[in-house]
Amino acid sequence: MEQDFLLSAPITFLSIMATILMVVDALIKKSSKITFTLSWLTLGITGVLAAWTLKHNGTAFNGMITVGSFGAFFDILFCMGALLTLIAARPYMQRENLEHDEFHSLILFAVSGMMIMAHANSLLILFIGIEIMSVCFYILSGYMRSSVRSVEASLKYFLLGAFATGFLVYGMALIYGATGSFDYNQIFMAAQHELRFPSLMMIGIGLLLIGLSFKAAAFPFHQWAPDVYQGAPTVVTAFMSTAGKIAAFSAFMPIVAIVSPADTEMKIQIILAIISAATMLVGNISALTQTNIKRMLAYSSVAHAGYLMMGLVAISAHHARGVSGILYYLSAYLFMQLGAFVIVSILERSGEKNLEIEDYAGLSKRHPVLAALMTIFMLSLAGIPPFAGFFGKYYLFTAAIESGYTWLTIIAVISSIISVYFYIGLIVKMYFTEPNESGESTQQLPGIASITLAVSAVAVVFLGLMPAGLLDVIKLLFGN
Amino acid sequence: MNKSMIDLIYLVPLLPLIGFFITGLFGKKQKSEALIGGIASAAVGGAFVVTALIFMTLVGHGSEERSHIVRLFTWMQAGSFTIDVSYQVDQLSILYTLIITGIGTLIHIYSIGYMHGDKSFPRFFAYLNLFIFMMLNLVLASNFLLTFLGWEGVGLCSYLLIGFWYERKFDGSFIVWTGDAAKKAFIVNRIGDFGVLVAMFLMYNQFHTLDYTAVNAQAAAGFQPGATLITTITLLLFLGCTGKSAQIPLGVWLPDAMAGPTPVSALIHAATMVTAGIFLIARNATMFALSPTTMAVVAGIGVATALTAALVGLVQNDIKKVLAYSTVSQLGFMFIALGVGAFTAGVFHVMTHAFFKALLFLGSGSVIHGMHEEQDIQKMGGLKKYMPITYKTFFIGTLAIAGIFPFAGFFSKDEILWNAFSQGHWVLWAVAVIAAFCTAFYMFRLLYLTFGGKERFDHHHIHPHESPKTMTFPLIVLAFLSVVGGFLGIPYALSIGGSIPNLLEHWLEPIFAPAMEILRRPEVHEVHAIEYGLMAASLMIAILGILLARSYYKNASDQPQAMANRFSGIYKLLWRKWMLDEVYQYFIVDVFYTISNGFLWKIFDVKIVDGVVNGTARSIASASELLRKIQSGIAQNYAIMMMVGIVAILVWLGLGT
């Protein structure tokens, strides 16, 4: 029992701190400084605790959650994402007059939900994790109460999210009916044998996939993402589109792994492959004609979910490279996507101004450093070496080819080429076009958000130049 | 002195590379020419010292233990394909390395004086060092790919150095700027490189390796003489040799390469790089020996080049162009040797030629320097009293190339002629002798017009003077080598019953043993009478050429023009170098240009490629517009979309279960 508490320390510590933070909010007026300090400390300590449990590999609390290893790896990603978001959010929230005190505790609660998702070893726990995270997201996306768009985003997200959750829960119920258990290991065992109600199992899996695809914003369950990402406050979007997506995949990976033995006719695998292909095509093609930068990045994040699903296809084909490919890609994606959104948040002006791609014309002259960093993030997102995004794509594409999905890889390459148009298009806009008259002329200093940018940029370059380092860690933790 | 000495081979290419980085990176800030030139020369000189030590070590070994592979690191690996950076230290590569670093050092020292005051002094030495590094990789490599790296590298350096004075005009065939000459050299060489590349593909496909030893051993073990594949491979390799070593049909670039500074002409376009073709064939002697067809082609191309280039040399008036054609012609002699299976004789001529041709080029550089950049020998004359050292050394070099006993050229050229004759190739021998006669004639024509006779330059503007010591010192050393170099390969007939050993043949013999076995060459040391006779004949012919040149040009300054008038038809043909450049221009360059401009660009690229690309882009953009419409912003529609997806998935899963 002691061991269980010790090894699940990252989750418990973070949850307790989030609760304390909420109380502090309520008791102390103007507490944002205190809560900010407490929350970044909490995230830092949680990250360290997670790193400490990284080498363990087991379950706790009667097999309800896993500890160490896989979950701990994700804990670190979540904490990193949340920490970078919090730092970048502080100047943004102050400027937008949004610094209500519960912001920090909401972020922490969202992280605790994500961590529960990543650690879940039972469908019930997974559901709890998803809901904790989602509820926080619903609130956070409507955080800009004065903005119609923000409130609309929140409501839309909530409605569609509830709709999707229904299918998710129904799927869990059917799987319980088919296998008699919520426990991952039990389901995995049951899936390997002849089931009494195979169709029940298949439909259950299908519904589960639908629910998770919604969370990952995959086609055709992605349509909420552009609206929500555009409407939500930019730093929240940064957090949702990175940590949120990582959380979705942290839940998706084990699910695909445990149900794959039941997939004797490869039907699930084919669904995953088709969703993957459609998601990246739709994401990238839609991004082409966007004029709003948040919307463009939102579609780009949809497209990246498509690439990541190639890894799921590989996992479903029992190919270990799928796991390491996704883990590497998620790590790279966290920094490049977050960095891009944070730059958007720095340049944004109250009243949702300065968010059109047109506003980025001639940025290299006004903010040479920001333009250079944005270029790095764009090149990485486009998958151009030597940045992290290139190697991420490389590993996922290799995994797909080795699993026999050459056609999927061809589509992935084609959609990558399409994506280059709008990623490079932004660079062209920043460097080779003259700023328009109405462009913002006052210099806005990024403040402490520059820490986030610096860390992200260094990570993108470092992971790209030395991909072997992270891959070695992944290999060490998960075998191959 | 043991194996560990040989392992130091990595220092040999490394030192010039370091020199390249130092002079290239820090040279520009450095004001002292002596320091830059000193560092660059020391880098090559150091490499020479190391090579010399390794040479001594090898001499101490038995002849069978002189071949070593020194593996440094793995260059690239992909699946089963591995290429190491590893050097093959053996008799052939060490001989080449001695020539490259030895003559290289002398020419570096010479350049300190020659390039004095040039605004790009450090850049020149950086390029020279880089060239040495690349050339050493070419000859030391133990596999084709590393050689190819050097092969391309020397091509690059040649390009950079021909166009070194890129702002200067240069009068050549279809050429206006020195940069054009550089491009011409580079592009013509690319054609040859293509041959080498395809040959490497074929070899890897067949042998699954690119190591010289393995490829040649497998070729000898697995193929009968005359096998088509081996003929194809060797012919393709030879295509590369005709590019790098300026043979027909790719030799047109070398005369225009004289646009570069004269030390470059001496080092790259006479002594070292242009002999890379001979090296490549000698290194793969076994494979070439397996293909009688290729051997015949090599000898045929060699003799044709030797004669045609020598004839062109008869009429040229630019001191460097005469020497350039003479280089082409002498390289032709080397290919004759290789083609008749006399590999040792070919490499011997590489060595002696390196001595005397470097000497002649440096001498011409000294003349050009003293004459304030004048290169037309019609405007020289009587220079011997102004530049005594240059004159004396140039005279020695001229005797050597003309093949006068006992200068270096006599031995090596005679060995080639004797081999051609003794193998029964009468025609080759006869044509080569005519070429040798022309050589003697045009070289002495050059000598007399430059140093002898009346002074034809404008005394008011030009004051000829002897060059500084940094320039005359290398001349003296090279003149010495041109005198004694031949004694390394004394033919058996002159060895007083074998009491004087043929050192070079002894040294190289084991390298070519497998090739010789394939060729089943009978030993023909018995018939000395014929050999003596031939030697005397070729000596007489050379002397005849000299006397003829003397009678025409000794005192008569207007002879070039008079000759031009007397033989106007043939003169014009030779003056325009057999119209080869014109033929290439009209039948190849113009045709390509027309096709590229009229079809490939204006129709294929603009209409078809751009059309497809823009069409694709437009259709994707319209797809994007369509998707944008589906994204209506109304939550209910999104839910409907989700339902469609859900139903599709569930129907698919429900089917058949």
Side-chain angles (χ1 to χ4, degrees), chain B residues 557-617:
Chain B
S557 55
D558 52 351
Q559 272 302 332
Q561 200 47 50
M563 294 282 274
N565 294 337
R566 199 180 320 166
F567 305 102
S568 63
I570 179 82
Y571 180 87
K572 271 186 190 145
L573 187 63
L574 292 179
W575 177 248
R576 299 179 71 169
K577 310 138 189 171
W578 304 100
M579 313 282 283
L580 209 54
D581 278 313
E582 282 79 358
V583 170
Y584 285 170
Q585 183 71 29
Y586 296 128
F587 288 95
I588 299 177
V589 178
D590 285 354
V591 172
F592 264 97
Y593 184 79
T594 312
I595 294 174
S596 305
N597 185 46
F599 176 70
L600 291 176
W601 175 34
K602 286 182 178 152
I603 295 177
F604 187 75
D605 194 51
V606 172
K607 298 252 164 70
I608 299 177
V609 175
D610 289 359
V612 170
V613 169
N614 293 335
T616 315

Side-chain angles (χ1 to χ4, degrees), chain A residues 33-353:
Chain A
K33 198 165 185 180
I34 301 166
T35 51
F36 173 70
T37 315
L38 273 178
S39 51
W40 70 256
L41 271 174
T42 306
L43 287 167
I45 292 168
T46 310
V48 172
L49 286 173
W52 171 67
T53 62
L54 204 53
K55 277 194 181 151
H56 293 272
N57 190 6
T59 59
F61 303 117
N62 296 322
M64 293 303 255
I65 60 165
T66 63
V67 287
S69 191
F70 183 84
F73 184 86
F74 276 101
D75 291 347
I76 295 171
L77 285 186
F78 298 143
C79 289
M80 184 81 85
L83 193 58
L84 293 176
T85 306
L86 278 184
I87 294 171
R90 187 142 170 90
Y92 176 86
M93 298 308 252
Q94 278 168 348
R95 201 174 62 228
E96 300 280 327
N97 250 334
L98 285 175
E99 204 158 51
H100 311 300
D101 308 332
E102 67 275 12
F103 178 75
H104 296 125
S105 47
L106 276 173
I107 295 270
L108 287 197
F109 276 122
V111 172
S112 73
M114 294 171 189
M115 288 167 72
I116 292 169
M117 287 166 77
H119 282 272
N121 198 33
S122 154
L123 292 177
L124 275 177
I125 300 293
L126 173 65
F127 181 71
I128 292 170
I130 289 180
E131 284 311 294
I132 293 176
M133 178 187 82
S134 298
V135 169
C136 294
F137 279 177
Y138 301 149
I139 303 169
L140 281 169
S141 38
Y143 207 72
M144 219 187 283
R145 272 170 291 184
S146 55
S147 156
V148 181
R149 209 189 280 275
S150 178
V151 175
E152 182 192 326
S154 173
L155 189 64
K156 232 182 239 178
Y157 192 15
F158 174 66
L159 280 177
L160 294 170
F163 189 51
T165 305
F167 292 101
L168 188 75
V169 178
Y170 197 21
M172 290 174 175
L174 290 183
I175 289 178
Y176 183 80
T179 62
S181 175
F182 283 129
D183 186 274
Y184 282 9
N185 299 355
Q186 304 270 343
I187 295 171
F188 182 62
M189 301 289 242
Q192 281 165 328
H193 302 110
E194 191 78 23
L195 288 166
R196 275 180 66 199
F197 306 108
S199 54
L200 215 58
M201 179 72 174
M202 290 311 277
I203 302 287
I205 296 170
L207 291 171
L208 214 55
L209 290 189
I210 290 162
L212 289 169
S213 296
F214 178 87
K215 295 295 164 202
F219 177 88
F221 316 107
H222 70 286
Q223 286 187 302
W224 61 272
D227 294 6
V228 173
Y229 286 1
Q230 189 186 355
T234 309
V235 283
V236 173
T237 308
F239 184 57
M240 287 195 296
S241 72
T242 53
K245 195 162 299 253
I246 294 170
F249 277 91
S250 77
F252 223 145
M253 288 163 70
I255 294 288
V256 170
I258 59 167
V259 300
S260 63
D263 185 25
T264 46
E265 292 174 64
M266 308 277 207
K267 282 188 164 179
I268 302 289
Q269 204 171 317
I270 288 168
I271 290 175
L272 286 171
I274 290 173
I275 292 181
S276 163
T279 305
M280 51 190 139
L281 279 175
V282 168
N284 283 325
I285 291 176
S286 302
L288 278 186
T289 44
Q290 299 307 321
T291 53
N292 181 292
I293 190 148
K294 279 170 83 176
R295 225 172 152 75
M296 183 196 97
L297 286 173
Y299 277 113
S300 130
S301 116
V302 170
H304 284 277
Y307 302 134
L308 283 158
M309 289 192 75
M310 294 173 81
L312 293 181
V313 175
I315 293 176
S316 142
H318 309 288
H319 201 291
R321 289 281 277 274
V323 180
S324 56
I326 292 182
L327 293 183
Y328 181 87
Y329 200 95
L330 285 174
S331 315
Y333 174 79
L334 170 67
F335 295 108
M336 56 199 191
Q337 181 85 0
L338 193 73
F341 266 123
V342 167
I343 291 181
V344 173
S345 82
I346 291 169
L347 294 171
E348 187 181 340
R349 291 295 165 270
S350 326
E352 292 170 70
K353 290 218 180 72

Side-chain angles (χ1 to χ4, degrees), chain B residues 342-353:
Chain B
F343 300 107
T344 313
V347 175
F348 184 26
H349 202 53
V350 166
M351 185 184 81
T352 58
H353 177 256

Side-chain angles (χ1 to χ4, degrees), chain A residues 400-464:
Chain A
I401 288 178
E402 285 176 3
S403 314
Y405 280 87
T406 313
W407 64 267
L408 183 57
T409 313
I410 292 171
I411 291 180
V413 170
I414 291 173
S415 60
S416 297
I417 294 168
I418 295 173
S419 76
V420 170
Y421 178 82
F422 59 85
Y423 290 128
I424 305 276
L426 184 64
I427 299 174
V428 171
K429 185 93 346 186
M430 293 188 300
Y431 279 89
F432 301 114
T433 48
E434 290 302 314
N436 51 10
E437 300 295 308
S438 60
E440 186 77 28
S441 55
T442 50
Q443 292 262 335
Q444 184 72 45
L445 293 173
I448 54 169
S450 50
I451 299 172
T452 303
L453 289 181
V455 171
S456 304
V458 168
V460 165
V461 173
F462 179 78
L463 285 177

